[in-house]
Each structure stands twice: as structure tokens, then as C-alpha cells.
């Protein structure tokens, strides 16, 4: 079993829809949970950062972490064409910065 | 926010030559930097951890003699692909975190696309 599972299937939604992405993980030591956005031919950009369980909201973006289920989610409200990118979940354990990445979801928001 | 700069952003070289890629933290110090490789439509694969003032730690299966890493200062790490071959063509990305903070919050460079002819 991989440390982080993210269904890599592409996702196409109409503009204004809610985008829902999720990852599961197996390592109970993970405490830090991140979502990165990566545009084509660019480096990943840190989008959301969460410590332990709970919700975090930043504008149209909401990140949720459920450590009991080892499940994290990212929601994008009122999606825009500029949100079209690949979204990668990542997580790490305390004491080091070695990130375990999901495979990424390519999201396309259709105008 | 913290900025990580990579140079060059793209490079084309002939087979057998060596290529150096630089990774700089512009407005913060980083005792540790990370180098990744990414193939098209794939996730990032960690190649090595670069430690300032000491040897890099390589992931299993990564040839340390082929991918030379030097982290000479708190703001600069370099990756040299030696005797490059077409199979080394890839997108190389570095990341860095704030010195003293091991909380997983990393900042990534823009990536360097290497094409070996």
C-alpha cells in the first residue's frame, strides 16, 4: 500500500461548480497536510497548509483533515477557469520535511 | 512569502555533457533543500535531500555519482547531471523550507526542464 493515495483521474467541471478532491494515507505519523497547485510546466505552489485534524478556509478554498479516517479533502467553491491546474496533496511527519505526495488530479474548469 | 528561484528554467544539451541546475532561496535561509524529478503527468519523485555543509542523502535507486548535489551555503544548492543521456530528460524541481522548521511547509522553485539530445 502506498503512503498516499490520490485517484489521479482528470476532473472537468463547469465554471462556478464546486470541485472536490481527496487523498487517503496510511502513515499515522503524518501531522502536516498540504495541497499544492501546479500549472503546466511550472513548479508546485503551496495552496493550503493544515496541521493535524480540522478545517481551514482561505477564500474559495477549504481544506479538511480527518486523521481518524486518514482522509484529507480540498474543496474549491465557485470554480474559475484560472483554477485549471493539477492539484497535489502532500503530507509529512514531525521532525523532517520529507513530503509524501499523491499522484495529483488534473482539474479543468470549463468556461 | 518565501521565494525559491531555479536556474536555468530550461536547458538543452548533447548526450555526454554535464548540466548544472541552481536552486536559491531568495529571502530566507534553508539548511535543507530537496531535489525532485517529475515525468509528464506524474507526481514528484524525491531524488535527494541536500544538507548545507554536508553530503546529500539520496533516495534508493538514485545514482549519486550521476546526480551530484552541492549545498555550499544556506541559500544555494546545485544539482549537476553528469554525462547526461536522453533518459535523463525530465523536469527537475527543488524545494526548501525555513531553517529550523521541520513542519512540512516547503516552497518550490519553478522547475528546470532538461532535454538531452
Amino acid at each position: 500500500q502506498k503512503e498516499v493515495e490520490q485517484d489521479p483521474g482528470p476532473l472537468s467541471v463547469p465554471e462556478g461548480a464546486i470541485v472536490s478532491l481527496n487523498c487517503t494515507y496510511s502513515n499515522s505519523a503524518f501531522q502536516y497536510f498540504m495541497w499544492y497547485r501546479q500549472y503546466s510546466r511550472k513548479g508546485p505552489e503551496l495552496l493550503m497548509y493544515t496541521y493535524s485534524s480540522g478545517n481551514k478556509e482561505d477564500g474559495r478554498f477549504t481544506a479538511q483533515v480527518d486523521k481518524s479516517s486518514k482522509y484529507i479533502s480540498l474543496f474549491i467553491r465557485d470554480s474559475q477557469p484560472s483554477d485549471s491546474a493539477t492539484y497535489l496533496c502532500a503530507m509529512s511527519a514531525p521532525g523532517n520535511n520529507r513530503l509524501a505526495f499523491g499522484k495529483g488530479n488534473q482539474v479543468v474548469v470549463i468556461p | 512569502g518565501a521565494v525559491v528561484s531555479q536556474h536555468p528554467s530550461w536547458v538543452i544539451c548533447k548526450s555526454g555533457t554535464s548540466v548544472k541546475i541552481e536552486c536559491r532561496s531568495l529571502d530566507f535561509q534553508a539548511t535543507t533543500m530537496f531535489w525532485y524529478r517529475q515525468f509528464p503527468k506524474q507526481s514528484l519523485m524525491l531524488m535527494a535531500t541536500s544538507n548545507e555543509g554536508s553530503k546529500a542523502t539520496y533516495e534508493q535507486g538514485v545514482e549519486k555519482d550521476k546526480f551530484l548535489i552541492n549545498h555550499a551555503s544556506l541559500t544555494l544548492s546545485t544539482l549537476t547531471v553528469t554525462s547526461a543521456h536522453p533518459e535523463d530528460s525530465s523536469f527537475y524541481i527543488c524545494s526548501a523550507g525555513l531553517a529550523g522548521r521541520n513542519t512540512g511547509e516547503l516552497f518550490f522553485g519553478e522547475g528546470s526542464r532538461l532535454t538531452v539530445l
Side-chain angles (χ1 to χ4, degrees):
Chain A
Q1 182 186 13
K2 289 190 175 181
E3 274 195 310
V4 180
E5 298 277 3
Q6 182 178 8
D7 185 350
L11 188 64
S12 292
V13 299
E15 183 175 354
I18 295 175
V19 175
S20 174
L21 305 171
N22 60 77
C23 292
T24 59
Y25 62 95
S26 58
N27 189 343
S28 57
F30 288 148
Q31 294 282 350
Y32 307 108
F33 304 92
M34 286 69 69
W35 285 95
Y36 285 89
R37 178 174 62 193
Q38 186 176 23
Y39 291 111
S40 181
R41 299 175 183 269
K42 297 289 185 182
E45 170 194 9
L46 182 61
L47 193 60
M48 298 292 282
Y49 174 85
T50 309
Y51 169 67
S52 195
S53 284
N55 297 349
K56 185 174 184 179
E57 189 172 317
D58 184 0
R60 296 183 295 110
F61 299 89
T62 299
Q64 292 183 347
V65 175
D66 182 349
K67 289 191 65 183
S68 63
S69 302
K70 296 189 176 66
Y71 185 91
I72 70 171
S73 303
L74 176 71
F75 299 96
I76 307 173
R77 292 184 301 280
D78 187 24
S79 56
Q80 304 295 309
S82 59
D83 295 328
S84 298
T86 296
Y87 292 82
L88 297 147
C89 65
M91 45 202 79
S92 71
N96 66 75
N97 281 329
R98 294 188 79 239
L99 300 186
F101 282 94
K103 288 188 175 181
N105 285 115
Q106 184 178 5
V107 173
V108 176
V109 181
I110 303 167
Chain B
V3 178
V4 174
S5 173
Q6 261 184 263
H7 178 81
S9 56
W10 60 270
V11 58
I12 301 172
C13 70
K14 292 182 178 180
S15 184
T17 60
S18 294
V19 174
K20 180 185 285 188
I21 301 170
E22 292 186 347
C23 179
R24 293 181 185 273
S25 56
L26 296 186
D27 50 2
F28 67 100
Q29 293 184 330
T31 51
T32 303
M33 292 184 176
F34 300 87
W35 286 96
Y36 308 82
R37 188 172 178 175
Q38 187 177 35
F39 291 106
K41 303 198 177 193
Q42 299 288 316
S43 189
L44 282 73
M45 182 189 78
L46 180 64
M47 298 175 65
T49 302
S50 171
N51 304 298
E52 188 266 334
S54 65
K55 291 183 179 180
T57 304
Y58 290 82
E59 296 298 303
Q60 190 174 11
V62 177
E63 298 176 60
K64 62 181 180 181
D65 293 330
K66 181 165 191 61
F67 298 100
L68 299 180
I69 292 173
N70 183 273
H71 194 153
S73 77
L74 287 172
T75 58
L76 174 65
S77 175
T78 60
L79 168 68
T80 301
V81 183
T82 63
S83 187
H85 291 284
E87 58 265 28
D88 298 323
S89 299
S90 189
F91 194 50
Y92 293 88
I93 309 173
C94 70
S95 72
L98 299 174
R101 288 186 62 177
N102 293 320
T103 57
E105 191 173 7
L106 297 182
F107 303 94
F108 285 76
E110 287 290 287
S112 300
R113 184 163 301 281
L114 170 64
T115 301
V116 184
L117 302 177

Coordinates of all heavy atoms in Angstrom, one line a residue, chain B residues 31-110:
Chain B
T31 N 18.6 25.3 5.6 CA 19.6 24.3 5.8 C 19.4 23.0 5.0 O 20.4 22.3 4.8 CB 19.7 24.0 7.3 OG1 18.3 23.6 7.7 CG2 20.1 25.1 8.2
T32 N 18.2 22.8 4.6 CA 17.9 21.6 3.8 C 17.1 22.0 2.6 O 16.2 22.8 2.7 CB 17.1 20.6 4.6 OG1 17.8 20.3 5.8 CG2 16.8 19.4 3.9
M33 N 17.5 21.5 1.5 CA 16.7 21.6 0.2 C 16.5 20.2 -0.4 O 17.3 19.3 0.0 CB 17.5 22.5 -0.8 CG 17.6 24.0 -0.3 SD 18.4 25.0 -1.6 CE 18.3 26.6 -0.9
F34 N 15.5 20.1 -1.2 CA 15.1 18.9 -1.7 C 15.1 18.9 -3.3 O 14.7 20.0 -3.8 CB 13.7 18.4 -1.2 CG 13.6 18.3 0.2 CD1 13.3 19.4 1.1 CD2 13.9 17.0 0.8 CE1 13.3 19.2 2.4 CE2 13.8 16.9 2.2 CZ 13.5 18.0 3.0
W35 N 15.5 17.9 -3.9 CA 15.5 17.8 -5.4 C 14.6 16.7 -5.8 O 14.6 15.6 -5.3 CB 16.9 17.5 -5.9 CG 17.8 18.7 -5.8 CD1 18.7 19.0 -4.8 CD2 17.9 19.8 -6.7 NE1 19.3 20.2 -5.1 CE2 18.8 20.7 -6.2 CE3 17.2 20.1 -7.9 CZ2 19.1 21.9 -6.9 CZ3 17.5 21.3 -8.6 CH2 18.5 22.2 -8.1
Y36 N 13.7 17.0 -6.7 CA 12.7 16.1 -7.3 C 12.9 16.0 -8.8 O 13.4 16.9 -9.4 CB 11.3 16.6 -7.0 CG 11.0 16.9 -5.5 CD1 11.4 18.2 -5.0 CD2 10.3 16.0 -4.7 CE1 11.1 18.5 -3.7 CE2 10.0 16.4 -3.4 CZ 10.4 17.6 -2.9 OH 10.1 18.0 -1.6
R37 N 12.3 14.9 -9.2 CA 12.2 14.7 -10.7 C 10.7 14.4 -11.0 O 10.0 13.8 -10.2 CB 13.0 13.5 -11.1 CG 13.2 13.3 -12.5 CD 14.2 12.2 -12.7 NE 14.4 11.9 -14.1 CZ 15.3 11.1 -14.7 NH1 16.1 10.4 -13.9 NH2 15.4 10.9 -16.0
Q38 N 10.2 15.0 -12.1 CA 8.8 14.8 -12.4 C 8.7 14.5 -13.9 O 9.2 15.3 -14.8 CB 8.0 16.1 -12.1 CG 6.5 15.9 -12.3 CD 5.7 17.1 -11.9 OE1 6.2 18.2 -12.1 NE2 4.5 16.9 -11.3
F39 N 8.1 13.4 -14.2 CA 7.8 13.0 -15.6 C 6.5 13.5 -16.0 O 5.6 13.8 -15.1 CB 7.9 11.5 -15.8 CG 9.4 11.0 -15.7 CD1 9.8 10.3 -14.5 CD2 10.3 11.2 -16.7 CE1 11.1 9.8 -14.4 CE2 11.6 10.7 -16.6 CZ 12.0 10.1 -15.4
P40 N 6.2 13.6 -17.3 CA 4.9 14.2 -17.7 C 3.7 13.4 -17.1 O 3.7 12.2 -17.0 CB 4.9 14.0 -19.2 CG 6.3 14.0 -19.6 CD 7.0 13.4 -18.4
K41 N 2.8 14.2 -16.5 CA 1.6 13.7 -15.9 C 1.8 12.7 -14.7 O 1.0 11.9 -14.5 CB 0.7 13.1 -17.0 CG 0.3 14.0 -18.1 CD -0.9 13.6 -18.9 CE -1.2 14.6 -19.9 NZ -2.5 14.5 -20.6
Q42 N 3.0 12.9 -14.1 CA 3.3 12.1 -13.0 C 3.5 13.0 -11.8 O 3.7 14.2 -11.9 CB 4.6 11.3 -13.2 CG 4.5 10.3 -14.4 CD 3.7 9.1 -14.1 OE1 3.8 8.5 -13.0 NE2 2.9 8.7 -15.0
S43 N 3.6 12.4 -10.6 CA 3.8 13.2 -9.4 C 5.3 13.4 -9.2 O 6.1 13.0 -10.0 CB 3.2 12.5 -8.2 OG 3.3 13.3 -7.1
L44 N 5.7 14.2 -8.2 CA 7.1 14.4 -7.9 C 7.7 13.2 -7.3 O 7.2 12.7 -6.3 CB 7.2 15.7 -7.0 CG 7.0 17.0 -7.6 CD1 5.5 17.3 -7.9 CD2 7.5 18.1 -6.7
M45 N 8.9 12.9 -7.7 CA 9.7 11.8 -7.2 C 10.9 12.4 -6.5 O 11.7 13.1 -7.1 CB 10.1 10.9 -8.2 CG 10.9 9.7 -7.7 SD 11.6 8.6 -9.0 CE 13.1 9.6 -9.4
L46 N 11.0 12.2 -5.2 CA 12.1 12.8 -4.4 C 13.4 12.1 -4.8 O 13.5 10.8 -4.8 CB 11.9 12.6 -2.9 CG 13.0 13.1 -2.0 CD1 13.2 14.6 -2.1 CD2 12.7 12.8 -0.6
M47 N 14.4 12.8 -5.2 CA 15.7 12.2 -5.6 C 16.7 12.3 -4.4 O 17.4 11.3 -4.2 CB 16.3 13.0 -6.8 CG 15.5 13.1 -8.0 SD 16.2 14.1 -9.3 CE 17.8 13.3 -9.6
A48 N 16.8 13.4 -3.8 CA 17.8 13.5 -2.7 C 17.5 14.7 -1.8 O 16.7 15.6 -2.2 CB 19.1 13.7 -3.4
T49 N 18.0 14.6 -0.6 CA 17.9 15.7 0.3 C 19.3 16.4 0.4 O 20.3 15.7 0.7 CB 17.5 15.2 1.7 OG1 16.2 14.5 1.6 CG2 17.4 16.3 2.7
S50 N 19.3 17.7 0.2 CA 20.6 18.4 0.2 C 20.7 19.1 1.5 O 19.9 19.9 2.0 CB 20.5 19.5 -1.0 OG 21.6 20.4 -0.9
N51 N 21.8 18.8 2.2 CA 22.1 19.4 3.5 C 23.3 20.4 3.5 O 24.4 20.0 3.0 CB 22.4 18.3 4.5 CG 21.3 17.2 4.5 OD1 20.2 17.5 4.9 ND2 21.7 16.0 4.2
E52 N 23.0 21.6 3.9 CA 24.1 22.6 3.9 C 25.3 22.2 4.7 O 25.2 21.7 5.8 CB 23.5 23.9 4.5 CG 24.5 25.1 4.3 CD 25.4 25.3 5.5 OE1 25.0 24.9 6.7 OE2 26.4 25.9 5.4
G53 N 26.5 22.2 4.0 CA 27.7 21.8 4.7 C 28.0 20.4 4.8 O 29.0 20.0 5.4
S54 N 27.1 19.5 4.3 CA 27.4 18.1 4.4 C 26.9 17.4 3.2 O 26.3 18.0 2.3 CB 26.7 17.5 5.7 OG 25.3 17.6 5.6
K55 N 27.1 16.1 3.1 CA 26.8 15.3 2.0 C 25.3 15.2 1.8 O 24.5 15.1 2.8 CB 27.4 13.9 2.0 CG 28.9 13.9 1.9 CD 29.4 12.5 1.9 CE 30.9 12.4 1.7 NZ 31.5 11.0 1.7
A56 N 24.8 15.1 0.6 CA 23.4 14.9 0.3 C 23.0 13.4 0.6 O 23.8 12.5 0.6 CB 23.1 15.2 -1.1
T57 N 21.7 13.3 0.9 CA 21.2 12.0 1.2 C 20.3 11.6 0.0 O 19.4 12.3 -0.3 CB 20.3 12.0 2.4 OG1 21.1 12.4 3.6 CG2 19.8 10.6 2.7
Y58 N 20.7 10.5 -0.7 CA 20.0 10.1 -1.9 C 18.9 9.0 -1.6 O 19.1 8.2 -0.8 CB 21.0 9.6 -2.9 CG 21.9 10.6 -3.5 CD1 23.1 11.0 -2.7 CD2 21.6 11.2 -4.7 CE1 23.9 12.0 -3.2 CE2 22.5 12.2 -5.2 CZ 23.6 12.6 -4.5 OH 24.4 13.6 -5.0
E59 N 17.9 9.1 -2.4 CA 16.8 8.1 -2.3 C 17.3 6.8 -3.0 O 18.2 6.8 -3.8 CB 15.5 8.6 -2.9 CG 14.9 9.8 -2.2 CD 14.5 9.5 -0.8 OE1 13.7 8.6 -0.5 OE2 15.1 10.2 0.1
Q60 N 16.7 5.7 -2.6 CA 17.0 4.4 -3.1 C 16.8 4.5 -4.6 O 15.8 4.9 -5.1 CB 16.2 3.4 -2.5 CG 16.6 2.0 -2.9 CD 15.8 0.9 -2.1 OE1 14.8 1.2 -1.5 NE2 16.3 -0.3 -2.1
G61 N 17.8 4.0 -5.4 CA 17.7 3.9 -6.8 C 18.2 5.1 -7.5 O 18.3 5.1 -8.8
V62 N 18.6 6.2 -6.8 CA 19.1 7.4 -7.5 C 20.7 7.3 -7.4 O 21.3 7.1 -6.3 CB 18.6 8.6 -6.7 CG1 19.3 9.9 -7.4 CG2 17.1 8.7 -6.8
E63 N 21.3 7.4 -8.6 CA 22.8 7.3 -8.6 C 23.4 8.6 -8.2 O 23.3 9.6 -8.8 CB 23.2 7.0 -10.1 CG 22.6 5.7 -10.7 CD 23.0 5.6 -12.1 OE1 24.2 5.6 -12.4 OE2 22.1 5.5 -13.0
K64 N 24.1 8.5 -7.1 CA 24.7 9.7 -6.5 C 25.9 10.2 -7.4 O 26.2 11.4 -7.3 CB 25.2 9.5 -5.1 CG 26.2 8.4 -4.9 CD 26.6 8.3 -3.4 CE 27.6 7.2 -3.2 NZ 28.0 7.0 -1.8
D65 N 26.5 9.3 -8.1 CA 27.6 9.8 -9.0 C 27.1 10.4 -10.2 O 27.9 11.1 -10.9 CB 28.5 8.6 -9.3 CG 29.3 8.1 -8.1 OD1 29.5 8.9 -7.2 OD2 29.5 6.9 -8.1
K66 N 25.9 10.2 -10.6 CA 25.3 10.8 -11.8 C 24.7 12.1 -11.4 O 24.7 13.1 -12.2 CB 24.3 9.9 -12.4 CG 23.7 10.4 -13.6 CD 23.0 9.4 -14.4 CE 22.6 9.9 -15.8 NZ 23.8 10.3 -16.6
F67 N 24.1 12.2 -10.3 CA 23.3 13.4 -9.9 C 24.1 14.0 -8.7 O 23.8 13.6 -7.5 CB 21.9 13.1 -9.5 CG 21.1 12.5 -10.7 CD1 20.8 11.2 -10.8 CD2 20.6 13.4 -11.6 CE1 20.1 10.7 -11.8 CE2 19.8 12.9 -12.7 CZ 19.6 11.5 -12.8
L68 N 25.0 14.9 -9.0 CA 25.9 15.5 -7.9 C 25.2 16.6 -7.3 O 24.7 17.5 -8.0 CB 27.2 15.9 -8.5 CG 28.1 14.8 -9.2 CD1 29.4 15.4 -9.7 CD2 28.4 13.7 -8.2
I69 N 25.1 16.6 -6.0 CA 24.4 17.7 -5.3 C 25.4 18.4 -4.4 O 26.2 17.8 -3.6 CB 23.2 17.2 -4.5 CG1 22.2 16.7 -5.5 CG2 22.7 18.3 -3.5 CD1 21.0 16.0 -4.8
N70 N 25.4 19.7 -4.4 CA 26.3 20.5 -3.6 C 25.4 21.6 -2.9 O 24.7 22.3 -3.5 CB 27.4 21.2 -4.4 CG 28.3 22.0 -3.5 OD1 28.1 23.1 -3.2 ND2 29.4 21.3 -3.1
H71 N 25.6 21.7 -1.6 CA 24.8 22.7 -0.8 C 25.8 23.6 0.0 O 26.0 23.3 1.2 CB 23.8 22.0 0.1 CG 22.7 22.9 0.6 ND1 21.5 22.4 1.0 CD2 22.7 24.2 0.9 CE1 20.8 23.3 1.5 NE2 21.5 24.4 1.5
A72 N 26.4 24.5 -0.7 CA 27.6 25.2 -0.1 C 27.2 26.3 0.8 O 28.0 26.8 1.6 CB 28.5 25.7 -1.3
S73 N 26.0 26.8 0.7 CA 25.6 27.9 1.6 C 24.1 27.7 2.0 O 23.4 26.8 1.5 CB 25.7 29.3 0.8 OG 24.7 29.5 -0.1
L74 N 23.6 28.6 2.8 CA 22.3 28.5 3.3 C 21.2 28.9 2.3 O 20.0 28.8 2.6 CB 22.1 29.3 4.6 CG 22.8 28.7 5.9 CD1 22.8 29.6 7.0 CD2 22.2 27.3 6.3
T75 N 21.7 29.4 1.2 CA 20.7 29.9 0.2 C 20.9 29.3 -1.2 O 20.2 29.6 -2.1 CB 20.8 31.4 0.1 OG1 22.1 31.8 -0.3 CG2 20.4 32.1 1.4
L76 N 21.8 28.4 -1.3 CA 22.1 27.8 -2.6 C 22.4 26.3 -2.6 O 23.3 25.9 -1.8 CB 23.3 28.5 -3.3 CG 23.8 28.0 -4.6 CD1 22.8 28.1 -5.7 CD2 25.1 28.7 -5.0
S77 N 21.7 25.6 -3.4 CA 22.0 24.2 -3.7 C 22.1 24.0 -5.2 O 21.4 24.6 -5.9 CB 20.9 23.3 -3.1 OG 21.2 21.9 -3.4
T78 N 23.0 23.1 -5.6 CA 23.1 22.9 -7.1 C 23.0 21.4 -7.3 O 23.5 20.5 -6.5 CB 24.5 23.4 -7.6 OG1 25.5 22.7 -7.0 CG2 24.6 24.9 -7.4
L79 N 22.4 21.1 -8.4 CA 22.3 19.7 -8.9 C 23.0 19.6 -10.3 O 22.7 20.4 -11.2 CB 20.8 19.3 -9.1 CG 20.5 18.0 -9.9 CD1 21.0 16.8 -9.1 CD2 19.0 17.9 -10.2
T80 N 24.0 18.7 -10.4 CA 24.7 18.6 -11.6 C 24.4 17.2 -12.2 O 24.6 16.2 -11.5 CB 26.2 18.7 -11.5 OG1 26.5 20.0 -10.9 CG2 26.9 18.6 -12.8
V81 N 23.8 17.2 -13.4 CA 23.6 15.9 -14.0 C 24.8 15.6 -14.9 O 25.1 16.3 -15.8 CB 22.3 16.0 -14.9 CG1 22.0 14.6 -15.6 CG2 21.1 16.4 -14.1
T82 N 25.6 14.6 -14.5 CA 26.8 14.3 -15.2 C 26.6 13.3 -16.3 O 25.8 12.4 -16.2 CB 27.8 13.8 -14.2 OG1 27.4 12.5 -13.7 CG2 28.1 14.7 -13.1
S83 N 27.4 13.5 -17.4 CA 27.3 12.6 -18.6 C 25.8 12.3 -18.9 O 25.4 11.2 -18.9 CB 28.0 11.3 -18.3 OG 28.1 10.5 -19.5
A84 N 25.1 13.4 -19.2 CA 23.7 13.3 -19.4 C 23.3 12.4 -20.6 O 24.0 12.4 -21.6 CB 23.0 14.6 -19.5
H85 N 22.3 11.7 -20.5 CA 21.8 10.8 -21.6 C 20.3 11.2 -21.8 O 19.6 11.7 -20.9 CB 22.0 9.4 -21.3 CG 23.4 8.9 -21.3 ND1 24.1 8.8 -22.5 CD2 24.3 8.7 -20.3 CE1 25.3 8.4 -22.2 NE2 25.5 8.4 -20.9
P86 N 19.7 10.8 -23.0 CA 18.3 11.1 -23.3 C 17.4 10.7 -22.2 O 16.4 11.4 -21.9 CB 18.1 10.4 -24.6 CG 19.4 10.4 -25.3 CD 20.4 10.2 -24.2
E87 N 17.7 9.6 -21.5 CA 16.7 9.1 -20.5 C 16.7 10.0 -19.2 O 15.9 9.9 -18.4 CB 17.0 7.7 -20.1 CG 18.4 7.4 -19.6 CD 19.4 7.0 -20.7 OE1 19.2 7.3 -21.8 OE2 20.3 6.2 -20.3
D88 N 17.7 10.9 -19.2 CA 17.8 11.9 -18.1 C 16.9 13.1 -18.3 O 16.7 14.0 -17.5 CB 19.2 12.4 -17.8 CG 20.1 11.2 -17.4 OD1 19.7 10.3 -16.7 OD2 21.3 11.2 -17.9
S89 N 16.3 13.2 -19.5 CA 15.4 14.3 -19.9 C 14.2 14.2 -18.9 O 13.6 13.2 -18.8 CB 15.0 14.2 -21.3 OG 16.1 14.3 -22.2
S90 N 14.0 15.4 -18.3 CA 12.9 15.4 -17.3 C 12.7 16.8 -16.8 O 13.4 17.7 -17.2 CB 13.2 14.4 -16.1 OG 12.1 14.3 -15.3
F91 N 11.8 17.0 -15.9 CA 11.5 18.2 -15.2 C 12.1 18.1 -13.8 O 11.7 17.2 -13.1 CB 10.0 18.5 -15.2 CG 9.6 19.9 -14.8 CD1 10.2 21.0 -15.4 CD2 8.6 20.1 -13.9 CE1 9.8 22.3 -15.1 CE2 8.2 21.4 -13.6 CZ 8.8 22.5 -14.2
Y92 N 13.1 18.9 -13.5 CA 13.7 18.8 -12.2 C 13.3 20.0 -11.3 O 13.3 21.2 -11.8 CB 15.3 18.8 -12.3 CG 15.8 17.6 -13.0 CD1 15.9 17.5 -14.4 CD2 16.1 16.5 -12.2 CE1 16.3 16.3 -15.0 CE2 16.6 15.3 -12.8 CZ 16.7 15.2 -14.2 OH 17.1 14.1 -14.8
I93 N 12.9 19.7 -10.1 CA 12.3 20.8 -9.2 C 13.0 20.7 -7.9 O 13.3 19.6 -7.4 CB 10.8 20.6 -9.0 CG1 10.1 20.4 -10.4 CG2 10.2 21.7 -8.2 CD1 8.6 20.1 -10.2
C94 N 13.3 21.9 -7.3 CA 13.8 21.9 -6.0 C 12.8 22.5 -5.0 O 11.9 23.2 -5.4 CB 15.1 22.7 -5.9 SG 15.0 24.4 -6.2
S95 N 13.0 22.3 -3.7 CA 12.2 22.9 -2.7 C 13.0 23.2 -1.5 O 14.1 22.6 -1.3 CB 11.0 22.0 -2.4 OG 11.4 20.9 -1.6
A96 N 12.6 24.1 -0.7 CA 13.3 24.5 0.5 C 12.3 24.9 1.6 O 11.2 25.4 1.3 CB 14.2 25.6 0.3
G97 N 12.6 24.6 2.8 CA 11.8 25.1 4.0 C 12.6 26.0 4.8 O 13.8 26.1 4.7
L98 N 11.9 26.7 5.7 CA 12.6 27.7 6.5 C 13.5 27.0 7.5 O 13.2 25.9 8.1 CB 11.6 28.5 7.3 CG 10.6 29.4 6.5 CD1 9.6 30.0 7.4 CD2 11.4 30.4 5.7
A99 N 14.7 27.5 7.7 CA 15.7 26.8 8.5 C 15.2 26.7 9.9 O 14.6 27.6 10.5 CB 17.0 27.7 8.6
G100 N 15.3 25.5 10.5 CA 14.9 25.2 11.8 C 13.4 24.8 12.0 O 13.0 24.5 13.1
R101 N 12.7 24.8 10.8 CA 11.3 24.5 10.9 C 11.1 23.2 10.1 O 11.1 23.2 8.8 CB 10.4 25.6 10.3 CG 10.3 26.8 11.3 CD 9.3 27.8 10.7 NE 8.0 27.2 10.7 CZ 6.9 27.9 10.3 NH1 7.0 29.2 9.9 NH2 5.7 27.4 10.2
N102 N 10.8 22.1 10.7 CA 10.5 20.8 10.1 C 9.0 20.5 10.1 O 8.6 19.5 10.7 CB 11.3 19.7 10.7 CG 12.8 19.9 10.4 OD1 13.2 20.3 9.3 ND2 13.6 19.6 11.5
T103 N 8.2 21.4 9.5 CA 6.8 21.2 9.6 C 6.2 20.9 8.3 O 5.0 21.0 8.1 CB 6.2 22.6 10.1 OG1 6.6 23.6 9.3 CG2 6.6 22.8 11.6
G104 N 7.0 20.5 7.3 CA 6.5 20.1 6.0 C 6.1 21.3 5.1 O 5.7 21.1 4.0
E105 N 6.3 22.5 5.5 CA 5.9 23.7 4.7 C 7.1 24.0 3.8 O 8.0 24.7 4.2 CB 5.5 24.9 5.6 CG 4.9 26.0 4.8 CD 4.4 27.1 5.8 OE1 4.7 27.0 7.0 OE2 3.7 28.0 5.3
L106 N 7.0 23.5 2.6 CA 8.1 23.7 1.7 C 7.7 24.7 0.5 O 6.5 24.8 0.2 CB 8.5 22.4 1.0 CG 9.1 21.4 2.0 CD1 9.5 20.1 1.2 CD2 10.3 21.9 2.8
F107 N 8.7 25.4 0.0 CA 8.4 26.3 -1.1 C 9.2 25.8 -2.3 O 10.4 25.4 -2.2 CB 8.8 27.7 -0.7 CG 8.1 28.2 0.5 CD1 8.7 28.0 1.8 CD2 6.8 28.7 0.4 CE1 8.0 28.4 2.9 CE2 6.1 29.1 1.6 CZ 6.7 29.0 2.8
F108 N 8.6 25.8 -3.4 CA 9.2 25.1 -4.6 C 9.7 26.1 -5.6 O 9.1 27.2 -5.7 CB 8.1 24.2 -5.3 CG 7.9 22.9 -4.5 CD1 7.1 22.9 -3.4 CD2 8.5 21.7 -5.0 CE1 6.9 21.7 -2.7 CE2 8.3 20.6 -4.3 CZ 7.5 20.5 -3.2
G109 N 10.7 25.7 -6.3 CA 11.2 26.5 -7.4 C 10.3 26.3 -8.6 O 9.4 25.5 -8.6
E110 N 10.6 27.1 -9.7 CA 9.7 27.0 -10.9 C 10.1 25.8 -11.7 O 9.3 25.5 -12.7 CB 10.0 28.3 -11.7 CG 9.3 29.5 -11.1 CD 7.8 29.4 -11.2 OE1 7.3 29.6 -12.3 OE2 7.1 29.2 -10.2

